[in-house]
Every structure is written in C-alpha cells, then in structure tokens.
Amino acid sequence: MPPLLSTALLLLGSNVLMTVAWYWHLRKPWPLVAAILISWGIAFFEYCLAVPANRIGYAGGVTGQQLKVMQEVITLAVFAAFSVVMLGEPLRWTYFAAMVCLVAAVGFIFLPVD
C-alpha cells in the first residue's frame, strides 16, 4: 500500500477514536473522573494508530506540515459525521465553509515549492 494511502487510513482510524474519546460522554452526564479515565483508555488506541501514521507518512516523503494539514481535514470530516450521528447536531453552512477552507489548505500544502 502506498505510504500516503496507509497514512491517510491510519489517520482516519486515529481521528475516529480521538473524536469518540473527546465527545462520547456529552450525551449522557458521566461522572467527570470516569469520563476522563475512559477517554484516556480510548486515546491510547488512538495513539497506536496516529504515531505509526505519522512515521509511515514522514518516511514516505510526506512533510510534517503536510501531515498536520491532512490530519486537520480528516478531523473535521470525522467530527462532522460524529456531530450529526451521535450528537444529533445539524451541519450549518459555516461548517461547510470551514471545510472548503481546510481543503484549500491541503491543496496549498501539497503544491510543489520549486
């Protein structure tokens, strides 16, 4: 599998786990300590995907800046789905405008600089 594709897939999985870790407890008021400990447990598995994703991407020629911008776009897309499905929140036009800006950022960060 090409490094860019494996990096993107690992970052996708990583972001799904991190979104769950950060926001799963909002619908039901869990005790704060329990929410923190459970979120830390979920975040461990997120790191098990994020660290290899960044290493594979970087070793495959993706710059640190490109990795970060990719991660931000994936995060926004994952959170959009999570907020609709799990939190029952509608997506507003401003969310789509923000996504367009981030997709443009990906385009800019992957432009050749030479």
Side-chain angles (χ1 to χ4, degrees), residues 15 67-77 99 102 106:
N15 276 281
L67 287 167
K68 183 59 181 171
V69 172
M70 280 177 54
Q71 185 269 329
E72 292 298 337
V73 170
I74 292 169
T75 297
L76 190 59
M99 181 58 101
L102 281 175
V106 170

Side-chain angles (χ1 to χ4, degrees), residues 84-103:
V84 170
V85 173
M86 300 304 292
L87 300 178
E89 298 176 354
L91 294 179
R92 301 182 326 237
W93 73 268
T94 54
Y95 198 90
F96 291 107
M99 181 58 101
V100 167
C101 292
L102 281 175
V103 169

Side-chain angles (χ1 to χ4, degrees), residues 6-111:
S6 57
T7 297
L9 291 174
L10 286 167
L11 285 175
L12 177 64
S14 163
N15 276 281
V16 168
L17 289 172
M18 187 50 77
T19 299
V20 170
W22 283 8
Y23 300 103
W24 67 271
H25 53 86
L26 296 181
R27 295 282 304 225
K28 184 177 181 225
W30 283 70
L32 184 57
V33 172
I36 290 169
L37 293 175
I38 293 168
S39 292
W40 277 356
I42 296 168
F44 168 78
F45 296 102
E46 182 269 337
Y47 274 80
C48 289
L49 297 177
V51 171
N54 287 308
R55 284 182 158 214
I56 291 167
Y58 198 74
V62 182
T63 68
Q65 295 167 10
Q66 290 169 331
L67 287 167
K68 183 59 181 171
V69 172
M70 280 177 54
Q71 185 269 329
E72 292 298 337
V73 170
I74 292 169
T75 297
L76 190 59
V78 167
F79 185 76
F82 185 88
S83 68
V84 170
V85 173
M86 300 304 292
L87 300 178
E89 298 176 354
L91 294 179
R92 301 182 326 237
W93 73 268
T94 54
Y95 198 90
F96 291 107
M99 181 58 101
V100 167
C101 292
L102 281 175
V103 169
V106 170
F108 284 121
I109 201 72
F110 278 94
L111 283 175

